């Protein structure tokens, strides 16, 4: 066993997610002696969860489908072996990104280490890898633990995998049950259906994508059904068993709408596809005085400080929006606040969100329900009906892409506006171009764009974005 060694750093970042990478790079740029620890749990050799690995297979499936539809190719849109190719391409892209991050951080002066890691008291970080054990001492510590899908907590839940397992599959099952109705479940169901998997989505809420605008949720459910995915809402999994009828598969018992008699669904596999929870196991947070809430998240103040002196938590580790760009902004802010001057809190007023399904979904600002709750209509003193304070504009159309493909699937643009001023409070788009459009529109919403400004702007033809100016 190599001898123990000790190193002193101004900042040790634990976790190489988007937030941790940003914090380490900015701290080094500000002159701090910085180490970034890429967590490598024992026996973990799979693809790390994240936006890039989650969306890459869907991108490949989408392009293959479009070519097949537009050119009327015979046979299946996705050739045999497409999944193996998709996983290989995803692994290659993840490796490329890792090397790019490593090169950039090394150039900035960050020391990059890969190891199992745990905290051993104030400012003490213990590492263990093939080279042996190392102890680092840090004046400041930033936690970017990343997230892992939550296992299914019902009898027989050990028979279920999680969404993190999918890119480790050598072959796809013929049928699959996804437990969850949020972004992860919708994206996975949409992608795997295009690879030929018969998928069922079990949403606990009354609709899929319950955190999005109701019009978007409705459109997502229709699109999933169009792609061959069965969606069951108000569904609560009671238990999971080995399927005695279909050997090698699973039987999932589901209470639908609160009914006492569960419905039995059968498939080759079942996955827990809920949102990720912070991956804090094994870090020794209690030893360092870092507390956790009931969901395993780390409580932080507005500056991302934990209750332990000198320890911050950013990204999926803290109780904040799980969003790559938000995590990067948090990382830069924490580094600038500790080692720089004049750091400004990230502006969370207009954060764009996207669901990379088919067709894609994107949104920024308030949903209609959120806007009406914030500005409810009020009758005047004589109880006459009050003028509405919220105006909603909806545009439905079939894009050129869909027409050429012969699908005829509707796209949607919905704007939620202040009825008096016309200011756009929220925008919600369903179309494969939606994520690109919403990124630019987020700037406009943040700066107070009004409906009249959009209508007075000349559009570019033929584009989906042009429809935004015709609302």
């Amino acid at each position: 066993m190599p001898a123990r060694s000790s190193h002193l750093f101004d900042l040790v970042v634990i976790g190489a997610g988007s937030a941790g990478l940003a914090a380490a790079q900015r701290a080094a740029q500000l002159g701090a002696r910085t180490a970034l620890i890429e967590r490598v749990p024992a026996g973990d050799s799979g693809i790390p969860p994240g936006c890039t690995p989650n969306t890459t297979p869907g991108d490949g499936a989408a392009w293959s489908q479009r070519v097949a539809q537009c050119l009327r190719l015979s046979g299946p849109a996705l050739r045999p072996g497409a999944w193996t190719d998709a996983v290989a391409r995803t692994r290659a892209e993840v490796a490329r990104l890792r090397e790019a991050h490593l090169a950039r951080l090394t150039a900035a002066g960050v020391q990059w280490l890969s190891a199992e890691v745990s905290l051993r008291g104030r400012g003490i970080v213990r590492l263990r890898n093939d080279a042996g054990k190392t102890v680092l001492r840090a004046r400041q510590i930033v936690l970017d633990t990343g997230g892992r899908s939550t296992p299914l907590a019902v009898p027989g839940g050990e028979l279920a995998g999680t969404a993190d397992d999918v890119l480790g599959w050598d072959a796809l099952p013929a049928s699959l049950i996804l437990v969850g109705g949020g972004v992860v479940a919708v994206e996975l169901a949409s992608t795997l259906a295009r690879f030929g998997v018969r998928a069922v989505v079990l949403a606990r809420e009354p609709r899929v994508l319950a955190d999005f605008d109701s019009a978007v949720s409705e459109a997502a459910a229709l699109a999933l059904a169009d792609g061959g995915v069965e969606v069951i809402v108000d569904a609560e999994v009671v238990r999971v068993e080995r399927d005695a009828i279909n050997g090698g598969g699973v039987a999932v018992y589901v209470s639908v709408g609160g009914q006492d008699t569960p419905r039995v669904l059968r498939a080759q596999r079942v996955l827990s596809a809920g949102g990720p929870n912070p991956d804090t196991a094994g870090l020794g947070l209690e030893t360092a005085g870092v507390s956790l809430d009931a969901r395993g998240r780390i409580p932080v103040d507005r500056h991302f400080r934990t209750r332990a002196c000198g320890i911050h938590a950013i990204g999926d580790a803290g109780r904040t929006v799980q969003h790559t760009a938000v995590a990067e902004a948090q990382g830069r802010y924490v580094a600038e606040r500790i080692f720089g001057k004049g750091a400004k809190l990230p502006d969370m007023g207009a954060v764009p969100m996207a669901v990379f399904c088919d067709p894609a979904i994107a949104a920024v600002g308030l949903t209609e329900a959120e806007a009406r709750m914030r500005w409810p209509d009020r009758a005047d003193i004589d109880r006459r009906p009050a003028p509405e304070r919220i105006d909603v504009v909806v545009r439905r159309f079939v894009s050129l892409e869909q027409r050429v493909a012969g699908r005829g699937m509707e796209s949607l643009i919905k704007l939620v506006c202040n009825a008096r001023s016309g200011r756009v409070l929220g925008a919600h788009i369903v179309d494969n171009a939606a994520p690109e459009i919403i990124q630019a529109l987020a700037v406009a919403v943040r700066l107070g764009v009004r409906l009249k400004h959009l209508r007075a702007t000349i559009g570019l033809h033929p584009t989906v974005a042009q429809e935004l100016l015709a609302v």
Side-chain angles (χ1 to χ4, degrees), residues 63-334:
W63 280 110
S64 182
Q65 273 195 333
R66 288 168 195 163
V67 170
Q69 291 163 344
C70 293
L71 300 183
R72 296 187 179 181
L73 299 177
S74 59
L78 295 173
R79 60 175 173 76
W83 176 251
T84 302
D85 183 59
V87 172
R89 289 172 184 265
T90 300
R91 289 182 181 276
E93 178 60 15
V94 169
R96 185 195 68 80
L97 285 173
R98 183 182 183 281
E99 290 304 312
H101 288 310
L102 177 57
R104 187 163 58 247
L105 291 176
T106 300
V110 176
Q111 185 171 344
W112 179 303
L113 301 167
S114 295
E116 293 183 64
V117 56
S118 60
L119 302 180
R120 285 293 183 265
R122 183 171 177 177
I124 300 175
V125 182
R126 189 180 75 172
L127 311 182
R128 185 173 66 179
N129 54 24
D130 293 340
K133 295 180 180 179
T134 304
V135 175
L136 307 183
R137 298 183 182 275
R139 293 189 173 95
Q140 297 284 336
I141 295 173
V142 168
L143 302 173
D144 177 24
T145 66
R148 291 284 180 179
S149 295
T150 307
L152 198 57
V154 297
E158 68 277 3
L159 300 175
T162 71
D164 298 338
D165 301 333
V166 172
L167 289 171
W169 291 347
D170 294 327
L172 290 173
S175 55
L176 175 69
I177 297 171
L178 293 155
V179 182
V183 173
V184 174
V186 170
E187 288 184 343
L188 269 180
S190 179
T191 295
L192 296 179
R194 283 175 280 172
F195 280 94
V197 178
R198 297 191 308 276
V200 178
V201 170
L202 302 179
R204 179 180 293 181
E205 304 291 338
R207 55 189 175 94
V208 294
L209 300 179
D211 293 335
F212 285 73
D213 190 89
S214 58
V216 166
S217 296
E218 180 183 348
L222 291 173
L224 288 172
D226 184 69
V229 178
E230 182 181 1
V231 177
I232 303 174
V233 298
D234 287 320
E236 189 78 32
V237 175
V238 177
R239 68 181 185 276
V240 180
E241 297 178 351
R242 291 286 184 193
D243 189 3
I245 297 177
N246 180 21
V250 291
V252 180
Y253 291 76
V254 185
S255 173
V256 181
Q259 295 182 351
D260 294 333
T261 303
R263 177 179 172 183
V264 183
L265 302 174
R266 291 181 165 84
Q268 286 190 349
R269 293 198 188 200
V270 58
L271 288 182
S272 173
N277 283 330
D279 185 15
T280 56
L283 272 177
L285 298 182
E286 300 82 0
T287 303
V290 178
S291 60
L292 300 175
D293 66 11
R295 292 183 57 187
R297 298 174 302 183
I298 302 173
V300 294
D301 65 11
R302 63 194 296 264
H303 300 297
F304 309 104
R305 295 176 298 194
T306 70
R307 293 174 184 171
C309 183
I311 300 180
H312 295 69
I314 53 179
D316 291 343
R319 294 188 291 190
T320 57
V321 177
Q322 291 175 326
H323 187 289
T324 297
V326 170
E328 291 173 346
Q330 291 173 1
R332 288 191 295 269
Y333 169 77
V334 168

Side-chain angles (χ1 to χ4, degrees), residues 418-430:
N418 182 301
R420 188 170 187 176
S421 67
R423 179 170 180 171
V424 179
L425 305 173
H428 312 273
I429 305 176
V430 180

